[in-house]
Every structure is written in C-alpha cells, then in structure tokens.
Amino acid sequence: MVSEAPETSQELSEVLEDLRRHLLWQEEDGGRILQVDARLAAELRGSGLPRPQAMLRAQAAKAVPAPAPATQPPPPTPAPAARPMAPRAMVPEPPPARRESPAERLLDVPPQARPYAGPLPGVVEGERPTLDEIRRELGDCRRCKLCSGRKNIVFGSGNPRAELVFVGEGPGADEDVQGVPFVGAAGQLLTKMIEAMGYRRDDVYICNVVKCRPPNNRNPEPDEVTACEPFLRAQLKAVQPKVIVALGKFAAQTLLRDSTAITRMRGNWREYEGIKLMPTFHPAYLLRQPAEKKKAWEDLQQVMKFFGKQPGQRG
C-alpha cells in the first residue's frame, strides 16, 4: 500500500485539477449541483484532500480582494455615462413674410398703372398755368432719346380754353415735319370725327402723350412716356377742359394709370382729376380696322350727349 500512495495521490491531484477546471463555470449555490461520480466522491473523502467546494472557495479567496473595513464605506459606483442623444433634425422655419412698401410694390406695376405724383413743369402751386409757360419750360427738350431723331417738337394746337381736348399717342412723319399734331392721314380722319361732333378743329385742343416722333412710328417706350407725361398733365391743367377724349391705349392708360386694354376700356366714362374722360380707338387704328369706326362713333356720341349736341350741330 505504501508503494501505491504516491500514484494514488498523483491520480487524485489530476482528478481534482480536472474538477477545478470544470467547476470554474459551475455555480456553487445557484441552484445547480455538480454531478460527481459516487465512486470518485468516496475516493475523495478517503484521500483526506480538500473537498471541491472548499477548494473553490480558497481559489476565489485568492482571486477576489478582501472587502474594505466596515468603517470605510465602499466608494459609490459611478453611474454609467449617459449616451448622447442624436441631435434632432431641425427644420428651418421660413422667414416671416416681408411687407413691401407701396413704393416697392409699384416697381412690379407697369408705368401706366402707377400713380403719378411728380411735379408739373411750368406750374406754380395754386395758380393756373398757361400753355406758353409750359412750352417755354419744355424748351429744346433732351429729356429722352426721342430727341435724337426728331425734326420738330410737336407740342399741341387749338383753343387754349377748350371744353373738349383730344389726346393721342405721338407724332407721325407728317407731324414731325410740320410740328403740328394730327395732320397726316390719321389727322384727317380725326378732323372729320371732330366736325361730325359739331366742332371745328380750332374749337378743341389736340395734343399727344409724347412730343417727339418715335422712330418708324413705333410705340413710345416707358422711359419716353415718363419723360413727357409731366408736360401732358401740365397742358391739361392749363386748358382745364370739361371732357377729355383719350385716343388709343397709350393716352388712356397714361392718364388713367390703368393697364386695361383699350378694347375693354373704350365706351365707358372714366375720370381724370375731376374731368370726365372717354377712352376710344385711335384714328390710325380705325384706318387699319374700318369696321371699328362704328364703335368709335358710339363713343363720341356719348361725348356729344354730355354737351347736349346733335350730329352735325355746330356751336
């Protein structure tokens, strides 16, 4: 038996080492029981070696440090760092709507629809100007590019105290040569219209929105209308008629500050600074569209009715 003791002890040591390794992942008091072969357990008890639980406690005692004395409470376990939250996607709020000033709103409006608030040349506040004063103020006008191609400034003609004024668009070739408004083919038609209403040309006053001929009789451009409009308004202030007949869209839109088409405006009484205004077609348009003469005559009959006139009646 003596000779077998070392071998038995060595064998038990190997078994115990296997058990130790096996018990490392077993729970001693957690509800699980280590299943040990009965024969092996008996041999372990008879060997005088430590029991497995005692061996495990000894191993744990070596691995786990002794607790701090009771007088020194363990340091508080730091709370786990808060996980940073992903930033919420910020939807930019639209900026508050900016309120445009009246002046800024006018920039989006055609010149013919903007209120006119400029000074009138040759006009003294509270006084009635004369056409001669306004003409002197106009001088050898260089206020827009039309001056470069004109022969004459076509200011206006007729009775300076007329009760009826006709306002056209601009001079043509014949007017540019003579310096008198409405003397070409359109002017001859206008003369017949005036006479059919019971007037002579000398009884009324005739002028245009622009005083110089646009090249090739094109439409006047906005900057040209803007440069000449103050003189037209001054002329009307000097004459102070009872009725204005606006011939064509440029005359009607400029005086009324209304961009409505002449086909829709014509035949309807409007008002310009307290003066009754009748929009109608331009004589040049009537020469191109003779069928529209009937409508223009209906418009002029309304003017005649206002003055109590009958067709062909003079005086």
Side-chain angles (χ1 to χ4, degrees):
M1 294 292 293
V2 176
S3 61
E4 293 180 359
E7 293 179 359
T8 303
S9 178
Q10 178 65 29
E11 185 179 24
L12 288 175
S13 296
E14 292 175 359
V15 171
L16 289 174
E17 178 63 20
D18 291 338
L19 283 173
R20 186 184 68 80
R21 294 175 181 174
H22 181 67
L23 290 173
L24 287 176
W25 56 271
Q26 291 287 345
E27 294 180 6
E28 182 180 12
D29 298 318
R32 292 185 180 182
I33 301 175
L34 179 63
Q35 300 296 323
V36 181
D37 183 78
R39 184 182 63 81
L40 178 60
E43 292 178 356
L44 289 173
R45 285 194 296 271
S47 65
L49 294 175
R51 303 178 77 176
Q53 290 85 349
M55 292 176 61
L56 291 176
R57 291 191 186 98
Q59 292 292 337
K62 294 179 180 179
V64 179
T71 56
Q72 296 181 0
T77 304
R83 183 179 179 183
M85 297 180 64
R88 296 177 62 185
M90 300 297 292
V91 179
E93 295 184 2
R98 180 175 173 271
R99 299 182 64 182
E100 293 181 330
S101 67
E104 289 175 319
R105 287 195 294 270
L106 291 176
L107 297 178
D108 298 328
V109 179
Q112 294 91 335
R114 301 177 194 170
Y116 180 82
L120 300 181
V123 177
V124 178
E125 184 67 26
E127 297 183 11
R128 183 178 183 178
T130 67
L131 291 172
D132 289 340
E133 290 170 343
I134 298 167
R135 180 63 185 87
R136 283 195 297 270
E137 186 72 21
L138 179 62
D140 184 27
C141 186
R142 302 283 169 178
R143 294 173 177 83
C144 78
K145 57 185 177 295
L146 291 181
C147 66
S148 61
R150 71 167 183 240
K151 291 182 174 65
N152 288 291
I153 292 176
V154 183
F155 183 70
S157 65
N159 181 357
R161 293 292 186 266
E163 64 180 7
L164 177 60
V165 170
F166 290 85
V167 179
E169 177 181 313
D174 295 319
E175 291 79 12
D176 184 40
V177 171
Q178 299 183 39
V180 180
F182 284 95
V183 293
Q188 294 173 17
L189 177 57
L190 178 60
T191 299
K192 293 178 181 179
M193 293 163 64
I194 292 171
E195 291 174 348
M197 294 176 68
Y199 292 96
R200 296 184 298 269
R201 275 187 64 118
D202 291 341
D203 295 331
V204 303
Y205 189 77
I206 305 172
C207 58
N208 285 304
V209 173
V210 296
K211 314 305 183 189
C212 300
R213 180 196 178 195
N216 301 315
N217 292 343
R218 65 161 171 76
N219 291 333
E221 296 178 352
D223 61 315
E224 298 161 357
V225 173
T226 300
C228 238
E229 180 184 0
F231 294 95
L232 169 63
R233 291 179 175 272
Q235 285 174 291
L236 295 174
K237 192 171 186 66
V239 177
Q240 295 187 9
K242 294 179 180 178
V243 173
I244 299 169
V245 175
L247 302 169
K249 73 172 185 178
F250 282 94
Q253 291 179 354
T254 299
L255 292 175
L256 296 175
R257 317 311 281 175
D258 186 342
S259 58
T260 304
I262 188 64
T263 53
R264 294 173 55 191
M265 279 200 290
R266 59 146 293 271
N268 299 299
W269 281 111
R270 303 289 293 273
E271 188 172 291
Y272 165 80
E273 296 189 1
I275 302 171
K276 293 183 72 67
L277 186 148
M278 174 59 67
T280 192
F281 294 124
H282 194 282
Y285 171 78
L286 297 177
L287 291 175
R288 299 191 301 270
Q289 303 289 337
E292 301 285 41
K293 289 182 179 180
K294 179 180 178 181
K295 294 179 182 177
W297 178 239
E298 292 172 354
D299 301 341
L300 297 181
Q301 284 181 309
Q302 293 193 61
V303 177
M304 293 164 58
K305 183 179 180 180
F306 175 82
F307 287 114
K309 285 183 170 291
Q310 298 296 324
Q313 176 184 349
R314 295 187 180 277

